[in-house]
Amino acid sequence: MKKRLNQDALRALKDIVGPRRLLLDPVQLLPYARDENPTLFARPEAAALVRSAAEVSAVLRLANRYRFPVVPRGAGTGVTGGALAVRGGLVLSLERMRRIREIDRKNLMASVEPGVITADLHRAVESRGLFYPPDPASSDDCSLGGNLAEDAGGPRAVKYGVTRDYCRGITAVLPSGEIVDYGG
């Protein structure tokens, strides 16, 4: 694998996320080199554990400046390899973005960050007498951002549909680093 993250890029990444949330040690990177498919392995050069859309934006702007690949990652419970850095570069981990910002009972809406574990949302809405149908087999471990990326469903999908059917709006960070809001 060709090294793509130079020292200047690594210093800038540390400035964005802090040294404790930029993983460089090969042992620390092992969990980010796999998903739930045992046949796939691709070790990244680094992993950045972001906590906000602003940090995601700053990392992507930096990636454009230094021309290194970035692979977003939720909980890593997929089996398709979509969260693996097959071309090296940086894994952008959303695992620390786990806040359920709001559950609006009146409008039957929830506002969540991408790292929220699916089962945590199930419990939160059920405690308010509501129901969130998508139930992937890994719901105790998988994240909502990963569910959206993979369009997860589970057994209830036959009756209720899949994750995309329950997404009414999204704040996304484009590859350029621009933050956009779609829907509402």
Side-chain angles (χ1 to χ4, degrees):
M1 170 179 62
K2 180 182 172 188
K3 189 159 176 62
R4 297 175 184 247
L5 285 166
N6 64 36
Q7 290 305 312
D8 291 337
L10 291 172
R11 270 191 294 279
L13 282 166
K14 283 181 186 174
D15 288 342
I16 295 167
V17 300
R20 295 179 64 153
R21 291 188 290 122
L22 181 64
L23 308 180
L24 299 168
D25 180 88
V27 174
Q28 288 181 310
L29 293 172
L30 276 176
Y32 301 93
R34 296 194 174 282
D35 64 8
E36 292 297 313
N37 183 329
T39 64
L40 302 176
F41 182 87
R43 189 189 319 259
E45 294 172 59
L49 302 134
V50 294
R51 290 195 297 211
S52 68
E55 285 184 355
V56 173
S57 174
V59 168
L60 292 177
R61 289 179 195 278
L62 186 73
N64 281 295
R65 184 173 346 134
Y66 286 99
R67 315 271 312 144
F68 59 83
V70 176
V71 177
R73 180 182 176 96
T77 59
V79 295
T80 64
L84 301 181
V86 296
R87 298 198 186 277
L90 179 75
V91 164
L92 184 68
S93 174
L94 306 170
E95 67 191 282
R96 300 245 174 135
M97 296 178 70
R98 287 189 165 192
R99 288 183 292 175
I100 298 173
R101 294 177 178 263
E102 177 186 15
I103 296 174
D104 179 350
R105 197 172 195 294
K106 179 182 174 192
N107 293 300
L108 304 176
M109 303 290 275
S111 177
V112 300
E113 291 182 342
V116 170
I117 299 301
T118 306
D120 291 344
L121 180 62
H122 284 154
R123 284 187 286 276
V125 299
E126 288 167 8
S127 73
R128 290 167 175 83
L130 301 172
F131 176 59
Y132 177 67
D135 66 331
S138 60
S139 66
D140 286 332
D141 303 309
C142 64
S143 66
L144 293 169
N147 291 176
L148 186 57
E150 294 285 332
D151 203 20
R156 295 184 210 158
V158 174
K159 182 174 183 178
Y160 296 106
V162 292
T163 302
R164 75 170 169 255
D165 299 315
Y166 294 90
C167 183
R168 296 294 173 253
I170 189 167
T171 297
V173 182
L174 301 179
S176 65
E178 178 185 2
I179 298 174
V180 294
D181 290 303
Y182 295 109

